[in-house]
Amino acid sequence: MSSEPPVFISAAEVERLLPRASLLLPGLEAALCNFSAGAAGGVEQPLRAVVPVRPHGGFLGVMPAYSAADDALTTKLVTFYEHRGDSAAPSHRATVLLFDPRCGSLRALLMPRSAEVLCILGAGVQARSHYEIFTELFPFTEVRLWSRTEQHALRLASSVGGAVRVCGTAREAVVGADVIVTVTMATTPILFGEWVKPGAHVNAVGASRPDWRELDDVLMKSSVLVVDSREAALAESGDVILSGAEIFAELGEVLKGTKPALPEKTTVFKSLGMAVEDTIAAKFVYDAWSAGN
């Protein structure tokens, strides 16, 4: 049993140790496959526990997971708050605790084959991270950005490395886009099926409460719906629960090849975030930190 004191690795140090998010892709894909394999995959991950902070419009989520393949045990503590006007403070803040298990968020399978236009709805920390990973991996010729607060969109567009077009409306940003990423704190739909061109792919990341929505019923019911976890989607995703849309597959099933990817169809990947993904990322960063100390 280790008696070493805990180590705190700051956000700046994490960025140094993990210069490109794509470095995590092989481990994340393996973890998702293991999760969808059930008990044989060796992933233990209960549904997240969420504590409402009602006077302040916030929530505290607790997300534990263990990955036997990596022998890694973690808990993520994340707070998220509803839209607060022009506040520049992040809507999400998180800390991941990596334990010694002895003593105790992907590949383009769903995207159109020739994706040229990327659209991001939202301008917070998740919008930035999705911009970085998508533009690193894929040669988009145009990136469009929309936010309910225009100054947030302008701030993000001016701070990233490439050219980004800030749009005045969500519809303007969406129409004709090949890949659409929704990373908002919306509680009612901000993306509508009539705007989305056939064969587009949607990465839906926000609306992580059972009564919150980002996507309308038309889009949810007319698309091939892939989720990270069936159990979580049916318990936590307002887009899935309230639309009554049928889940086609977990992403791990697509990665394993037990379900087809169907990139020629309009697809929606509803992501609620997986604790096991945080486990893989935390172990990667800790191992990199340990190697340098």
Side-chain angles (χ1 to χ4, degrees):
M1 184 176 293
S2 173
S3 60
E4 295 293 320
V7 172
F8 174 74
I9 302 178
S10 68
E13 184 73 351
V14 169
E15 291 183 4
R16 184 185 72 80
L17 296 168
L18 184 59
R20 301 189 315 279
S22 57
L23 295 171
L24 292 174
L25 289 181
L28 293 178
E29 290 180 357
L32 288 166
C33 289
N34 289 337
F35 174 82
S36 291
V43 173
E44 299 290 343
Q45 179 186 290
L47 287 175
R48 84 186 85 199
V50 178
V51 179
V53 188
R54 291 189 177 88
H56 302 288
F59 301 86
L60 167 67
V62 183
M63 302 169 60
Y66 173 68
S67 170
D70 305 278
D71 197 26
L73 175 67
T74 63
T75 289
K76 178 180 181 179
L77 304 176
V78 56
T79 58
F80 51 102
Y81 285 77
E82 297 181 52
H83 185 56
R84 291 171 292 172
D86 294 333
S87 172
S91 60
H92 292 66
R93 298 178 187 270
T95 298
V96 179
L97 308 177
L98 176 66
F99 298 92
D100 183 341
R102 296 168 297 176
C103 57
S105 223
L106 298 170
R107 216 161 52 188
L109 294 176
L110 305 176
M111 285 175 47
R113 300 194 189 282
S114 57
E116 296 184 351
V117 180
L118 170 65
C119 163
I120 300 176
L121 304 182
V125 292
Q126 297 236 37
R128 176 183 295 276
S129 64
H130 280 77
Y131 169 85
E132 291 173 349
I133 188 64
F134 272 92
T135 56
E136 177 189 341
L137 292 176
F138 311 110
F140 290 104
T141 60
E142 182 182 359
V143 179
R144 305 173 188 167
L145 178 65
W146 171 83
S147 171
R148 290 173 297 190
T149 306
E150 186 178 27
Q151 71 179 73
H152 293 175
L154 293 169
R155 183 188 305 127
L156 176 59
S158 66
S159 67
V160 299
V164 176
R165 174 181 150 205
V166 175
C167 297
T169 66
R171 186 183 189 281
E172 178 189 351
V174 168
V175 171
D178 300 294
V179 177
I180 304 159
V181 179
T182 60
V183 279
T184 73
M185 289 297 290
T187 57
T188 57
I190 47 91
L191 177 61
F192 297 86
E194 65 181 278
W195 301 346
V196 177
K197 77 175 189 180
H201 172 64
V202 178
N203 257 31
V205 179
S208 58
R209 299 290 297 155
D211 57 347
W212 291 5
R213 299 289 299 269
E214 280 190 316
L215 317 184
D216 78 338
D217 286 356
V218 172
L219 179 57
M220 290 296 297
K221 291 182 176 180
S222 63
S223 303
V224 176
L225 176 60
V226 178
V227 299
D228 41 20
S229 163
R230 278 189 180 84
E231 182 185 19
L234 293 171
E236 300 179 340
S237 169
D239 284 324
V240 175
I241 297 166
L242 299 177
S243 71
E246 181 180 352
I247 296 172
F248 172 71
E250 290 183 344
L251 185 56
E253 294 174 313
V254 178
L255 289 166
K256 288 190 301 179
T258 57
K259 290 288 185 72
L262 304 176
E264 71 281 3
K265 296 185 178 294
T266 305
T267 53
V268 169
F269 173 50
K270 179 56 200 176
S271 172
L272 288 162
M274 300 272 283
V276 71
E277 294 171 327
D278 300 312
T279 300
I280 302 305
K283 189 172 189 299
F284 181 99
V285 169
Y286 181 77
D287 288 347
W289 178 86
S290 297
N293 288 275

